[in-house]
Amino acid sequence: TPGIRYVSPTDNNAENVTLAHGDIRIEKSSNWVGEDFLKMFPFKFIEGSGEQRLDDASSIVLTKSTALALFGDEKALGKVIRFDNKADLKVSAVIQDPPRNSTLQFECLIPFNTAMAMDPKYNAALSFWGNSSYHMYIEVEPNADVSQLQSRLRDVVKANKSDTEEELMIFPLDRSRLYSEFVNGKSVGGAITYVRIFMATAVMIL
């Protein structure tokens, strides 16, 4: 789509998976992401580089703490991990752990292509226009007209699913923490409500 630079689906809900290498088995939280995910978000690379891609269904990206738990001081890049006793995945990169205050929390990243290769339900979910289980992150091109892009995307679901009035909307990520409550596609508040209450209370006390 013109105006969009990168796009990545994500389940946005880290779930625990088992990672095994040799005699070591650990449980870590994973996140399923699209191939553009690491191009969009500025995670520091410890091993590998930004050129490492997530479109290979046999790859896995580890955080620094996960790599240490599995391999100690050894290099993790290129080593093979048994994932949930379902597939062997090769480490394509090691990145810095997400900050504690980040919306994005995970201990390893798995390509969506891996999910689709292991379980047909993911293929069905991503091709079903009534499914809203995943978040879709986009990065727009510099100087892109976001309002025009919003207009083009608004009716995509209705164009592909006749029995719905659902519309798509673009919402800035930097507003998602405080303004995450929506009614009929309109942002009506969220955590910002508590911030305002605390501020009003502080003013009254002073």
Side-chain angles (χ1 to χ4, degrees):
T1 300
I4 295 179
R5 186 178 186 184
Y6 298 126
V7 59
S8 173
T10 170
D11 59 9
N12 212 50
N13 184 24
E15 59 180 21
N16 285 344
V17 296
T18 301
L19 305 178
H21 180 76
D23 296 330
I24 299 176
R25 292 174 59 87
I26 59 176
E27 278 200 2
K28 293 292 182 180
S29 60
S30 69
N31 203 341
W32 302 94
V33 296
E35 60 187 79
D36 287 342
F37 185 83
L38 290 175
K39 300 173 187 175
M40 299 169 65
F41 297 103
F43 290 102
K44 179 182 177 182
F45 282 80
I46 308 300
E47 296 182 40
S49 71
E51 297 303 314
Q52 300 295 338
R53 293 157 60 110
L54 280 160
D55 59 351
D56 182 353
S58 64
S59 67
I60 182 172
V61 173
L62 306 179
T63 59
K64 182 179 179 181
S65 60
T66 301
L68 284 171
L70 281 169
F71 305 110
D73 293 330
E74 295 180 14
K75 292 287 187 182
L77 194 66
K79 287 190 167 63
V80 175
I81 294 172
R82 186 66 178 170
F83 173 77
D84 254 357
N85 204 30
K86 295 178 181 177
D88 292 323
L89 305 179
K90 184 180 292 186
V91 179
S92 61
V94 177
I95 60 176
Q96 194 69 43
D97 290 53
R100 290 183 180 274
N101 63 346
S102 173
T103 300
L104 303 167
Q105 293 295 326
F106 55 84
E107 293 171 298
C108 62
L109 295 174
I110 317 295
F112 251 100
N113 284 348
T114 304
M116 292 188 286
M118 290 193 301
D119 193 336
K121 73 179 182 182
Y122 285 96
N123 279 298
L126 289 174
S127 60
F128 174 50
W129 286 96
N131 176 53
S132 57
S133 300
Y134 309 114
H135 285 188
M136 190 72 71
Y137 292 106
I138 66 172
E139 180 179 326
V140 300
E141 295 281 3
N143 303 317
D145 187 330
V146 177
S147 61
Q148 189 179 82
L149 183 59
Q150 170 74 74
S151 297
R152 293 206 308 270
L153 293 177
R154 180 179 293 117
D155 295 327
V156 167
V157 175
K158 288 192 286 188
N160 290 274
K161 189 172 184 288
S162 58
D163 58 341
T164 184
E165 291 300 318
E166 293 180 7
E167 296 179 347
L168 296 182
M169 62 176 294
I170 299 172
F171 193 72
L173 184 59
D174 61 3
R175 290 176 58 85
S176 63
R177 185 180 293 273
L178 294 180
Y179 301 90
S180 57
E181 186 177 340
F182 297 87
V183 174
N184 295 326
K186 302 291 185 182
S187 177
V188 295
I192 189 63
T193 302
Y194 299 101
V195 174
R196 289 167 178 160
I197 291 172
F198 294 147
M199 289 177 64
T201 303
V203 169
M204 291 176 64
I205 293 173
L206 291 174

